[in-house]
Structures are given as structure tokens and as C-alpha cells.
């Protein structure tokens, strides 16, 4: 929100902290995925596409894997590989995002199949409303990014104007999706008969929520802190040639 | 996440869009507060500190008023008054934040009193866990900001190093708090007997969630977009004198 003295990107201390945070983020992300699997696998009946009682369980698992872990890593690639050439990183960024989107689509399919087979109405909860909005926005953002940054004919001026919007929107949507997950875990926990007393299943759900928030916080910090911004390898006048 | 050509802050078109978005954000913020009041006032039994059945209703109202509306406006002041002197804006920023915090404390008191009077355990839900974390982080951020940016003896170098952390953390926490609200509305809606069928009360709850997300999105966009960044009035070498 203000002018500041940027920390030198080549500063070894800054780089050490950065790498430590990247490692922490990856550990947190893997813990989130494993915790989701363990929570649903051991305490909510396991996973099966043929057993209508547990089809639902694929929903949180694929959402955490796709829209949290892969999305988080997709927005981190520009910072982790900030000294490399841009085009392969752009492609990696796009591929991780489309994988995240595909996992999310399967996750949505799981919840619709579960509801239909159990005659539960679809799209009644706030979680479903804002979750669907988030998924649509994610899709729009992906297509806009693909057209703007990977179609070689796009003028640099347009890319320059859209980039801050893309970055601001993308990192905001990421944090928002963590919030959508929190509302999903809240629903699942309340559907538990034990509530409001806390048993292992509910504590695990809450712990998963806390881990998701921690993962989101570390990723958000890494992608928004100006000290970890990408270093341009080529001067602006040669950038158009290099990026195609 | 990348270098870009910043949009000229004096660009009249950019300024028009900015002001339109500020007006939209304020309308959305007021709608959020009114909708919260109407939802709880007309559909969840109204407001009273003496009736134990409805003490709870102060909780969402004061949270939306404080940690959403006032917090949102507090982080917006640097951008709205970006051409003014910094010290009065700093003070306004701090005052709006402490008001937000006080509303939040009363809101927390309301939910504890409600639980105690109804013999419901405290702090069992994920909403309560992450909500409390958010409130503590908010308090830490406020005190750190006060010491760093309003104590005249603080060196400019320290302020410069802490500022991006303060800004990144503060805007991330704001979006996170919107997520905490979503989980709270999710809880309240599920406690409704009508669920999963949607009646006016549940639709209002969901609509409030959507409005909160829209308010959060507009504020987040305004405070993170580099085109709306504050314009410095004094050169860096004179800044220390001017800010004290």
C-alpha cells in the first residue's frame, strides 16, 4: 500500500529465509493432503465410487489436493524459479493450474453423485454457493491467463496492464478458497453426531482446518512479499522476443 | 509476482474507476451490516443482552461491523487519501482498527455469555478456533503497527523493512476473516431446523455470505492493485521529519 525499500533479491539471508519457508509450505501442503485422506479414510468410512454412503469423501480429498495444494504450488513457481527463463515456468504454472481444476471438477462430481444417490438437494448451502463461484472464477482466470500470457501475438502493453490484475485476483482467490474449505469442514463436523463434544474425528477436522490456514498463510506470504519477486533476466526491450 | 508497467496514478480514467469501486465497496459494506441486522433481527429472534436465547445475535452483528466493515475501510484509507499527508491517515488507520478490535471483543463476549448461559461448550468448532487465531493475529498486527509506524523514534530502515510484511499480512488477514465469517454463517444456517431445504432465513444467510465475499473482493482489489498505490508527497530524505 505504500512505497518501501525493497530487500535485495540476491541477499543470501533473504534467500535462506525464502527457501526455508518454501520447504515449510511443502511440508504443510503434504500434511493437509494426508490429514484429509486419514480423516475421511479412517473416521468417515473410507473411499469408494460405488458405495453411495462414502462417494462424498472424494470431494474434500480432491479439493484439498487440487484447489489447495496444486493451486498453492502453481502460484509459487514464479518465486521458486525466479532466476530461470520465463516461458517454461509459465507452462508449468498453467499445467499445475489445469490439474488443480480437473481435480476440482472430479470433486464436484463426487458431491453431486452423493447428493443425487441419497436424495439430498444440491446447492443449498453457503459452502456450495461460494464454492461454485470460486470454481467459475478459477476457470475464467485460467482462460484469461492462457490467452493473455501464452498467445505469442498478445502485445506486451496488454500483458503489462493485465498482469497486476491477474496476480492480485489469483492470490486473493487462493486465500478465498482456503475460506471455502473452512466452511466445508465446518459443515462436515456439524453433521457429525458427536458435536458439540469434541472426539477424535472432530479434532482431526479442526486440525485439518488449522493446517489449511497455515499452508495458505505461508504461500500467501511468499507470493505477495516484494522481496521474493521474480528477477527479470532480459531487458524490457528484448522481453517480447524472449517470451514467445 | 512479477515486474510490470505501473499505471500512472494521475491517469484520470484510472482514478474514475478507483472512485467508482470505492463507492461500490461502501455500498456493499453497508448492505452487509444491514443484512446481518435484518437476518438476526427479523429471523433469529432479535437482539438483547438480557435474554439468553438471543445474546448470541450480537456476535455476527458486531463481527461484521468491526472485523469486516471497519477493517475493510481501515485498510482502504491509504488509498482513498493517497494524495494527503501521511500522519493523519496513519492515525485514522489505527483508530478504525482499534474500533474494529473493540467491536470484535464485544462480539466474542456475546458468544461466550450465550454458551455459558445455555451450557454449550466453548471453543469446540473450527470457526471458533480459527476465529480466535484471527483475533489474536489482528491484535498482534495492530500493536506491531502502532510501535513501528507511530513511535517517532523508530528508524526509517526498520519501517521500510516491516512495511511490506505489515501490508501483506494485513490484507491476507482481512480476506481470511471473510472466510471465518463464511464458516460462521455456515454453522448458523445448519443449526436452523429447515436445513437442507432453503427458506427465507437460510437464503438471507447465504446472501449475506455472498455480500461479504463481494465486499472483501472489492476491498482486496483496491488495496492490492499497484495502480492505486499511495503517492509520496515528500522526498525520502525529508520523510522522517515530516512523519513525526
Amino acid at each position: 500500500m505504500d512505497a518501501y525499500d525493497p530487500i535485495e533479491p540476491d541477499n543470501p539471508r533473504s534467500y535462506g529465509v525464502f527457501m526455508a519457508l518454501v520447504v515449510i509450505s511443502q511440508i504443510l501442503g503434504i500434511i493437509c493432503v494426508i490429514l484429509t485422506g486419514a480423516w475421511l479414510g479412517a473416521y468417515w468410512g473410507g473411499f469408494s465410487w460405488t458405495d453411495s454412503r462414502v462417494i462424498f469423501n472424494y470431494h474434500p480429498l480432491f479439493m484439498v489436493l487440487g484447489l489447495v495444494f496444486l493451486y498453492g504450488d502453481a502460484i509459487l513457481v514464479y518465486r521458486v524459479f525466479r532466476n530461470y527463463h520465463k516461458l517454461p515456468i509459465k507452462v508449468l504454472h498453467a499445467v499445475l493450474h489445469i490439474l488443480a481444476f480437473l481435480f476440482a471438477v472430479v470433486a464436484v462430481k463426487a458431491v453431486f453423485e452423493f447428493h443425487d444417490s441419497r436424495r439430498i438437494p444440491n446447492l443449498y448451502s453457503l459452502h456450495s454457493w461460494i464454492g461454485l463461484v470460486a470454481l467459475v472464477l478459477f476457470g475464467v482466470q485460467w482462460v484469461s491467463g492462457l490467452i493473455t500470457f501464452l498467445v505469442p501475438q498478445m502485445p506486451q502493453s496488454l500483458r503489462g496492464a493485465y498482469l497486476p490484475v491477474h496476480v492480485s485476483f489469483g492470490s486473493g482467490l487462493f486465500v478465498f478458497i482456503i475460506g471455502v474449505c473452512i466452511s466445508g469442514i465446518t459443515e462436515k463436523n456439524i453433521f457429525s453426531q458427536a458435536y458439540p463434544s469434541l472426539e477424535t474425528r472432530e479434532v482431526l477436522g479442526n486440525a485439518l482446518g488449522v493446517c489449511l490456514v497455515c499452508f495458505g498463510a505461508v504461500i500467501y506470504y511468499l507470493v505477495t512479499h516484494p522481496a521474493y519477486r521474480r528477477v527479470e533476466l532480459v531487458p524490457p526491450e528484448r522481453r517480447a522476443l524472449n517470451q514467445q
Side-chain angles (χ1 to χ4, degrees), chain A:
Chain A
M1 254 160 282
D2 215 325
Y4 45 79
D5 302 323
I7 298 163
E8 192 55 44
D10 304 319
N11 182 331
R13 181 155 165 262
S14 156
Y15 187 75
V17 173
F18 173 79
M19 282 316 295
L21 286 173
V22 168
V23 170
I24 289 169
S25 77
Q26 296 312 293
I27 293 169
L28 280 170
I30 291 165
I31 288 175
C32 287
V33 175
I34 292 173
L35 205 52
T36 313
W39 182 51
L40 300 162
Y43 293 92
W44 281 102
F47 300 92
S48 165
W49 279 107
T50 50
D51 182 348
S52 73
R53 289 168 303 172
V54 294
I55 296 176
F56 173 84
N57 290 348
Y58 283 113
H59 175 77
L61 183 68
F62 286 150
M63 281 301 184
V64 169
L65 189 57
L67 287 193
V68 176
F69 188 52
L70 290 179
Y71 188 172
D73 276 8
I75 59 177
L76 203 57
V77 293
Y78 282 105
R79 304 245 147 163
V80 171
F81 304 110
R82 60 188 171 154
N83 298 312
Y84 290 72
H85 276 287
K86 212 169 179 179
L87 188 59
I89 307 171
K90 275 189 185 182
V91 173
L92 180 61
H93 180 77
V95 168
L96 284 174
H97 272 314
I98 195 72
L99 278 177
F101 188 75
L102 292 177
F103 274 118
V105 169
V106 177
V108 168
K109 185 178 149 64
V111 81
F112 273 84
E113 280 201 11
F114 171 73
H115 281 176
D116 292 347
S117 67
R118 313 283 291 182
R119 298 183 192 287
I120 300 168
N122 284 308
L123 298 175
Y124 65 88
S125 70
L126 179 56
H127 171 76
S128 66
W129 287 24
I130 59 169
L132 205 64
V133 167
L135 194 62
V136 170
L137 292 177
F138 186 96
V140 170
Q141 166 93 340
W142 191 83
V143 173
S144 314
L146 186 79
I147 294 170
T148 314
F149 301 115
L150 281 169
V151 171
Q153 286 75 18
M154 278 293 152
Q156 276 304 112
S157 59
L158 189 91
R159 288 182 178 176
Y162 177 55
L163 186 62
V165 179
H166 182 79
V167 169
S168 166
F169 192 91
S171 49
L173 185 62
F174 173 71
V175 178
F176 175 53
I177 283 172
I178 302 284
V180 179
C181 292
I182 297 302
S183 74
I185 297 169
T186 297
E187 277 193 3
K188 193 72 187 160
N189 261 356
I190 297 183
F191 291 144
S192 167
Q193 296 303 319
Y195 241 36
S197 89
L198 279 178
E199 293 178 11
T200 312
R201 183 160 81 170
E202 293 71 45
V203 173
L204 267 185
N206 284 5
L208 172 61
V210 172
C211 284
L212 289 171
V213 168
C214 293
F215 175 73
V218 176
I219 295 282
Y220 182 81
Y221 180 75
L222 287 172
V223 300
T224 54
H225 197 297
Y228 307 140
R229 198 172 276 163
R230 185 180 153 71
V231 181
E232 283 304 329
L233 293 175
V234 270
E237 64 277 12
R238 290 190 53 84
R239 216 172 281 164
L241 284 171
N242 200 287
Q243 276 172 350
Q244 285 172 21

